[in-house]
Amino acid sequence: MCKIVREIVMTHSLSVSHLAIHPVKSLKKISVEQGVIDHMGFVNDRRWMVVEPNGKFMTQRHYPKMVLVSAVPNNEGLTLSAPGMSDLVVEDPEQQPTTSVNNVVVWNDTLKAVDAGNTVSQWLSEFLGVSCRMVKFSKEVQRQVDLRFASKGDSTGFADGFPFLLTTEASLQELNSRLSSPVTMDHFRPNIVIRGAEAYAEDTWKRIKIGDVVFRVAKPCSRCVMTTVDPMTGEKTGKDPLMTLSRYRKTEMGVIFGQNLIHESEGKIRLGDKIEIIE
């Protein structure tokens, strides 16, 4: 009886403490009070992407200054802003009478995407100091999530591989206790942050319910050099936190921190929503 009561109390103590979207892959995050979920994940999350002239995706791994660019969704499309640059309104290319559809590459996936035009290309190229273009995920495309970890029909946008990334406050606190210079959660770019769990408790979850939406915990998130980019300065600051994580969080899937999620339905989740551990 005591064990059952303890489990119920622990479950009810879990809640959502932070939600974020990244309208353009690898650009600055936007904190939100609620997230609307469609078939690909949060609406406005990684539906746009910056690419090299050959269509290959660009991220902070090689272009750390990307984190300084803000992309805010609006009725027209997006508004881009960056230090030293005039704001730029990017119109939704799918709403324009003439558009260019190009092949783009995200890891092992080649997809059709809609080009956002020369003006935004010039703006981004000037700020990043490298020739690039921006594209929008096409409504005509479905990107299947890796079937080793997903079901047929599970889809995502321009995310590395999964619709959602979840972390917990306690896991970050535990990591920071090992670092000489603590890092923020922004180094890991989660969509969903949970308060009230024990450190790395998320590693044991298989299915959870947030608000009215059920999520499957698909696989741990493998971390890379992108975690070493300072989200405030756009500069790589050294080998941590990746080096410290590698000493005690290295698995056959790589150095892990956080969990990738797949949603089982559309819906909405909010800050403060309680978390139910189903399995």
Side-chain angles (χ1 to χ4, degrees):
M1 179 67 71
C2 291
K3 181 179 180 182
I4 294 174
V5 171
R6 180 173 179 269
E7 288 178 347
I8 292 174
V9 171
M10 287 178 65
T11 298
H12 280 270
S13 69
L14 306 183
S15 63
V16 176
S17 63
H18 189 72
L19 295 171
I21 59 173
H22 308 86
V24 181
K25 182 179 180 66
S26 223
L27 300 192
K28 186 178 292 187
K29 76 157 191 184
I30 298 177
S31 299
V32 295
E33 294 186 356
Q34 65 179 24
V36 178
I37 299 170
D38 66 11
H39 66 289
M40 290 195 292
F42 280 147
V43 171
N44 290 322
D45 185 52
R46 292 165 295 188
R47 305 299 170 89
W48 302 70
M49 183 169 68
V50 184
V51 298
E52 297 175 354
N54 63 3
K56 183 180 179 181
F57 74 116
M58 293 171 57
T59 73
Q60 295 171 39
R61 295 172 182 87
H62 300 291
Y63 307 97
K65 282 183 66 177
M66 291 178 71
V67 75
L68 301 180
V69 184
S70 173
V72 179
N74 54 47
N75 292 333
E76 289 77 30
L78 294 172
T79 298
L80 297 181
S81 58
M85 302 289 289
S86 298
D87 289 358
L88 178 68
V89 174
V90 183
E91 296 183 350
D92 184 344
E94 289 192 301
Q95 303 303 318
Q96 304 307 307
T98 58
T99 57
S100 174
V101 178
N102 305 323
N103 284 327
V104 298
V105 177
V106 187
W107 296 112
N108 295 322
D109 294 332
T110 299
L111 311 166
K112 295 289 185 182
V114 187
D115 190 271
N118 291 331
T119 301
V120 64
S121 173
Q122 293 167 2
W123 191 96
L124 284 166
S125 298
E126 178 181 345
F127 180 74
L128 296 176
V130 61
S131 181
C132 60
R133 302 195 69 81
M134 194 162 81
V135 297
K136 187 184 181 196
F137 200 92
S138 172
K139 295 178 181 178
E140 305 301 318
V141 172
Q142 180 178 8
R143 184 180 173 211
Q144 171 68 49
V145 178
D146 190 336
L147 287 170
R148 292 176 297 171
F149 309 101
S151 300
K152 188 173 182 180
D154 291 335
S155 62
T156 188
F158 286 134
D160 275 354
F162 295 86
F164 299 93
L165 172 61
L166 175 145
T167 59
T168 63
E169 292 183 353
S171 297
L172 179 65
Q173 292 167 1
E174 196 282 334
L175 168 59
N176 277 333
S177 72
R178 300 169 181 260
L179 298 174
S180 57
S181 298
V183 297
T184 68
M185 194 66 86
D186 287 352
H187 283 73
F188 298 98
R189 298 173 67 81
N191 299 104
I192 304 169
V193 180
I194 303 301
R195 174 180 296 150
E198 296 181 358
Y200 306 116
E202 62 272 26
D203 294 350
T204 68
W205 302 341
K206 295 182 179 180
R207 291 177 77 235
I208 64 174
K209 186 176 183 182
I210 305 176
D212 295 323
V213 181
V214 174
F215 299 84
R216 301 194 306 276
V217 182
K219 70 176 288 290
C221 183
S222 302
R223 312 314 306 217
C224 66
V225 69
M226 200 161 138
T227 60
T228 67
V229 175
D230 186 328
M232 298 300 295
T233 66
E235 297 177 351
K236 292 183 179 178
T237 56
K239 296 182 179 180
D240 268 330
L242 188 61
M243 181 174 67
T244 296
L245 276 173
S246 69
R247 293 173 180 155
Y248 73 111
R249 297 285 294 167
K250 192 170 185 177
T251 71
E252 65 279 2
M253 293 188 180
V255 179
I256 63 172
F257 187 91
Q259 293 287 332
N260 292 296
L261 307 183
I262 300 171
H263 52 303
E264 295 187 353
S265 66
E266 300 183 10
K268 186 182 296 183
I269 65 176
R270 302 171 177 84
L271 290 179
D273 275 353
K274 300 300 181 182
I275 315 301
E276 178 183 348
I277 310 304
I278 299 174
E279 184 179 353

